[in-house]
Amino acid sequence: MTTEEGVIREAQRQRADARHDPRLDWWRDAKFGMFIHWGLYAIPAGEWQGQAIPGIGEWIMLRARIPVAEYERLAAQFNPVQFDAAQWVSLAKRAGQKYLVITAKHHDGFCMFHSKVGRYNIVDATPFGRDPMKELAAECARQGIKLGFYYSQTQDWHHPDGDGNDWDFSPETKDFAGYIENYVKPQVRELLTNYGPVCLIWFDTPKVITPEQSRSLVDLVHQLQPDCLVNGRIGNALGDYAEARDNAIPDTLVDADWETPATINDTWGYKRDDQRWKSPQELIRKLVDIASKGGNYLLNVGPTAEGVIPQPSVERLLAVGEWLGRNGESVYGTRPGPLQGLAWGRSTVRPASGEPASGEPASGGPERVYLHVFDWPAGGALHVPLPHHRVHRALLLGSPPSASDGGATLPVTAGPEGLTVQGPPVAPDAVDTVVVLELAGNGATGPGRRDPSR
Ligand code: H79
């Protein structure tokens, strides 16, 4: 068994130069994105011919072995009149998400964009007749959020030569190379030509794709839009950053550009009976956990066939956004903190000014270490194992910045085992109280420090 960290490190080892690629700067600072899985599978919503189909909702065609001719008929019913691009983008913004990635084509092969390569797409095959990707691209530009597309490059259960459908098509007679050349590439070209700047293409489940095919897709993306990132699931250890397994968070810091794609409940595509919603606390702590280990959190919503993002998702995203509204400084633009494996929480760090994190106000000062306290100590005395650093001051994030304000700074005492920060007896925030340590001088604190030679 390979560990999750092992998978990511292996991917990164093969592209060591990428660690400092400035094309990823915005993405490294973003930390939090919205994933949207939306397609025909939202109509059956986990149920086929009166049977509940186990597993994730967007896999229903495979799990129920639905013939292409039958599944295709869903398109004639797809009319998401409640779809409102402005609302979706606004939700992502209020949640504090900095980029949005939506399924342009998932494994079922149905194109949620207007493709000229075939008619199995939302404009040509549904009564809806609109191109939601166009509308989202316009709204993302208007509201200032980056847009990326999920595109299933290997699995396509609708295309006779795509991978995965062995109930309609015989695997022996498939021309997979022809499918990549004559279908995938023209569609990737459409996505990168017709929708303005695309921040990334999110490929998935590489399976049988060859190194040459992966390479040629990466090259095509970069040729069309040099700044467009490619995620690691293009396969064959290529791509601009590494992807953790679905819903998997590494146990330890990973020195790589990596991302965890994750669900709020269990499914990606809308599934009516999946009500196993994670709590806001769980989501906030996962975001912080991921940021503290150097990753990004791409958190999914699965809108209904009417075009509505389920209310439990909305509520949770707004709760995360509310927390970020007060504590965003400790997440956006940060790097893994000097303290890893803390019993009571996590740490992130903002490098001293002169190394500003793009998109955030320059810190204009010393290095700031953020202590994310999940489990507030009884009595409020927080032990911080940072023995070699002199702390200029400690304060609760969100309290007035003036050092003369007695309510803002917290008393710090140094001992042989580290520092003790005296906070209030009761946790100011039961989910995650952020204590800021401002380090005196040019503190070089380890994992979060950038190599000044690069
Ligand atoms: O797009 C989402 C998933 O559909 C996709 N990746 C995320 C981002 C994904 N592709 N493959 N997988 C996830 C792994 C799929 C595993 C399972 Fe199954 C699908 C388990 C149950 C359904 C395949 C079919 C394995 C068992 C039955």
Side-chain angles (χ1 to χ4, degrees):
M1 270 296 283
T2 328
T3 63
E4 187 64 25
E5 307 90 80
V7 171
I8 293 170
R9 285 211 188 89
E10 175 58 19
Q12 196 63 34
R13 189 184 63 75
Q14 313 223 8
R15 44 171 188 274
D17 293 351
R19 195 73 187 92
H20 301 272
D21 186 341
R23 293 184 312 124
L24 279 84
D25 281 348
W26 70 265
W27 183 88
R28 291 185 187 114
D29 291 347
K31 298 294 170 205
F32 191 30
M34 173 180 277
F35 214 172
I36 303 179
H37 276 68
W38 197 37
L40 295 182
Y41 37 79
I43 299 173
E47 192 180 303
W48 195 252
Q49 294 174 343
Q51 298 285 315
I53 308 299
I56 44 187
E58 71 284 4
W59 276 67
I60 193 168
M61 184 177 175
L62 180 140
R63 290 302 297 267
R65 296 292 192 281
I66 303 170
V68 164
E70 259 179 70
Y71 192 88
E72 269 183 345
R73 289 205 283 273
L74 291 171
Q77 296 174 47
F78 196 66
N79 195 19
V81 291
Q82 293 189 63
F83 167 70
D84 181 346
Q87 262 183 35
W88 289 13
V89 175
S90 156
L91 175 63
K93 291 216 57 156
R94 286 179 292 157
Q97 295 166 313
K98 304 293 189 187
Y99 58 113
L100 187 159
V101 182
I102 182 162
T103 47
K105 188 193 86 168
H106 202 266
H107 308 329
D108 69 354
F110 186 71
C111 295
M112 294 293 286
F113 64 103
H114 189 196
S115 177
K116 301 283 168 59
V117 193
R119 294 185 55 80
Y120 195 49
N121 69 76
I122 189 163
V123 173
D124 294 323
T126 76
F128 189 54
R130 282 156 53 187
D131 182 345
M133 304 299 138
K134 268 258 148 67
E135 296 176 27
L136 282 167
E139 269 309 317
C140 284
R142 196 174 69 81
Q143 298 192 41
I145 188 166
K146 288 178 186 287
L147 176 67
F149 292 125
Y150 175 109
Y151 186 89
S152 176
Q153 80 278 29
T154 299
Q155 296 197 71
D156 188 316
W157 306 328
H158 179 267
H159 194 293
D161 295 315
D163 179 86
N165 182 340
D166 59 7
W167 56 98
D168 285 288
F169 312 113
S170 160
E172 286 78 58
T173 58
K174 282 183 185 180
D175 175 14
F176 183 74
Y179 155 78
I180 292 284
E181 220 43 53
N182 305 317
Y183 192 70
V184 171
K185 286 186 183 173
Q187 291 202 326
V188 168
R189 182 178 289 277
E190 290 179 320
L191 290 171
L192 289 166
T193 306
N194 300 337
Y195 299 91
V198 176
C199 70
L200 59 88
I201 302 281
W202 214 98
F203 294 106
D204 201 5
T205 64
K207 295 182 73 184
V208 301
I209 196 169
T210 67
E212 294 70 31
Q213 288 163 341
S214 293
R215 162 64 60 199
S216 67
L217 278 170
V218 171
D219 289 347
L220 177 65
V221 171
H222 290 160
Q223 172 207 323
L224 293 167
Q225 292 201 24
D227 289 336
C228 182
L229 306 179
V230 173
N231 77 330
R233 293 198 193 165
I234 185 60
N236 297 296
L238 294 170
D240 291 311
Y241 65 87
E243 207 68 66
R245 284 175 294 120
D246 293 355
N247 281 306
I249 302 178
D251 293 333
T252 56
L253 170 84
V254 179
D255 182 21
D257 293 310
W258 64 275
E259 175 182 72
T260 292
T263 52
I264 300 183
N265 48 354
D266 289 331
T267 187
W268 303 83
Y270 179 68
K271 193 177 181 191
R272 203 169 286 108
D273 68 3
D274 181 350
Q275 300 295 331
R276 284 175 22 111
W277 304 100
K278 294 168 188 74
S279 68
Q281 168 168 306
E282 210 177 328
L283 299 171
I284 291 164
R285 289 184 176 180
K286 282 180 192 296
L287 170 63
V288 167
D289 184 25
I290 289 167
S292 80
K293 294 164 181 167
N296 279 13
Y297 192 30
L298 184 61
L299 187 58
N300 182 73
V301 295
T304 66
E306 290 75 40
V308 176
I309 296 175
Q311 192 58 25
S313 293
V314 173
E315 287 164 11
R316 282 155 183 78
L317 288 172
L318 292 178
V320 177
E322 191 273 334
W323 184 89
L324 280 167
R326 289 181 285 112
N327 297 283
E329 183 198 318
S330 67
V331 174
Y332 303 122
T334 63
R335 299 294 175 262
L339 298 162
Q340 298 286 320
L342 286 167
W344 43 255
R346 301 290 182 272
S347 79
T348 54
V349 67
R350 178 176 308 283
S353 59
E355 300 179 89
S358 60
E360 287 297 303
S363 59
E367 184 167 356
R368 285 161 83 85
V369 172
Y370 302 98
L371 306 174
H372 295 266
V373 190
F374 295 169
D375 300 309
W376 193 256
L382 185 70
H383 178 65
V384 185
L386 257 186
H388 300 300
H389 298 88
R390 287 184 302 116
V391 169
H392 169 56
R393 59 176 184 163
L395 55 151
L396 287 172
L397 191 61
S399 41
S402 161
S404 60
D405 184 331
T409 59
L410 303 174
V412 180
T413 51
E417 302 290 306
L419 311 164
T420 300
V421 177
Q422 184 59 53
V426 177
D429 185 331
V431 171
D432 175 8
T433 300
V434 181
V435 174
V436 186
L437 298 182
E438 278 187 6
L439 298 193
N442 184 14
T445 51
R449 184 169 55 106
R450 284 184 183 172
D451 180 353
S453 69
R454 301 299 288 254

